[in-house]
Amino acid sequence: MCRVEQKNLVHFYSMNTGGQYYSTANPQLFAPTLDYIITQLHLRYTLGFQPAKLDGKTHELRVELTKDAQDRFPKTTLRFRAEYIPLPPKP
């Protein structure tokens, strides 16, 4: 697989899983980029839920702030998967 294809796949996966992808060829940007990534990790909050049915089908997922939360935290960026597939446990 060529480098461009790999980069496209990484962008695709990050967009579809609620993640982000950073890249630079400039070594002077390594330290500030890593600092930004580490800061983002410290600000992360993870939510979880148990689907009602483990049907193996694709379901849309939407996460949003309440109006009150939007007013209190206007600069908040939500990142989440666009869909999920609840699978039953393996026997």
Side-chain angles (χ1 to χ4, degrees):
M1 180 178 299
C2 82
R3 192 173 167 100
V4 172
E5 289 173 332
Q6 288 175 338
K7 188 174 179 181
N8 288 339
L9 277 175
V10 172
H11 278 288
F12 173 80
Y13 291 137
S14 67
M15 288 176 55
N16 284 283
T17 61
Q20 290 182 290
Y21 172 76
Y22 301 96
S23 175
T24 182
N26 181 349
Q28 292 179 339
L29 296 177
F30 291 171
T33 301
L34 182 58
D35 185 56
Y36 177 77
I37 291 168
I38 291 169
T39 299
Q40 292 302 308
L41 289 172
H42 286 287
L43 298 174
R44 188 172 86 182
Y45 191 89
T46 303
L47 299 174
F49 74 100
Q50 184 72 30
K53 285 178 137 181
L54 303 177
D55 58 10
K57 296 178 183 177
T58 302
H59 298 271
E60 181 181 327
L61 184 63
R62 193 173 86 187
V63 178
E64 57 188 33
L65 294 174
T66 63
K67 177 68 174 129
D68 180 53
Q70 289 173 13
D71 293 342
R72 289 177 39 213
F73 309 103
K75 295 182 179 181
T76 299
T77 301
L78 298 176
R79 295 183 189 99
F80 55 92
R81 295 176 181 213
E83 56 189 27
Y84 69 97
I85 303 172
L87 300 174
K90 293 183 180 179

